[in-house]
Amino acid sequence: MAQQLNPYLTFAGNCADAMAFYAEALGGEVQSMSFRDAGMDADGIMHSNLETPAGFHIFASDTVEGMGAPHTVGNNLQISLSGDDAEALRGYWDALSEGGQVVMPLERQMWGDDYGMLADKFGILWHVNIAGTPAE
């Protein structure tokens, strides 16, 4: 995988139910990690991924107070850029963050990838995940 652009949905505590619904409707299996799995004192899903036999990808999570914008239907769709082309993905990060606001810096995460989140100058939230990035 070089690069991939995916919708990223946020929910107010019902992410697991929504992703199960999408898996039933579109096929595929859901993989999820809860906030508690990640050592956080919060309920809900930290990250969920659905990959369908048709090649569709949906990412999703529950909203936790203090992390990003509050959940509001209408602003609960974000965009995720992911892949293993670090140079290209860092370039997108730099370009998209120009005039915007970094919500979470693009840096090494506990799952071993470099990840960050930003709001572009139009208020759209972007997730950037660089897979398998060697430690610096």
Side-chain angles (χ1 to χ4, degrees):
M1 164 179 65
Q3 300 169 54
Q4 194 172 310
L5 182 130
N6 302 298
Y8 201 111
L9 309 172
T10 55
F11 296 92
N14 59 345
C15 179
D17 294 338
M19 292 299 277
F21 170 78
Y22 298 140
E24 179 72 24
L26 303 171
E29 290 188 32
V30 176
Q31 297 178 343
S32 296
M33 173 186 265
S34 72
F35 289 107
R36 296 205 186 279
D37 291 339
M40 298 175 67
D41 186 21
D43 293 324
I45 301 296
M46 183 174 123
H47 179 75
S48 187
N49 176 36
L50 171 63
E51 183 174 343
T52 74
F56 303 148
H57 298 264
I58 300 174
F59 293 159
S61 67
D62 283 313
T63 301
V64 173
E65 193 169 323
M67 293 181 68
H71 181 271
T72 304
V73 173
N75 78 352
N76 58 326
L77 173 64
Q78 302 157 29
I79 301 171
S80 170
L81 288 170
S82 57
D84 55 12
D85 187 337
E87 184 177 349
L89 289 161
R90 286 185 189 284
Y92 299 144
W93 172 267
D94 292 341
L96 290 165
S97 62
E98 208 168 297
Q101 177 184 2
V102 172
V103 176
M104 179 181 231
L106 182 60
E107 59 190 19
R108 180 59 37 94
Q109 300 299 321
M110 65 179 210
W111 59 89
D113 296 347
D114 285 357
Y115 166 85
M117 183 169 55
L118 64 89
D120 70 20
K121 64 184 177 181
F122 300 103
I124 302 299
L125 289 174
W126 292 81
H127 303 258
V128 175
N129 192 89
I130 305 170
T133 309
E136 295 178 12

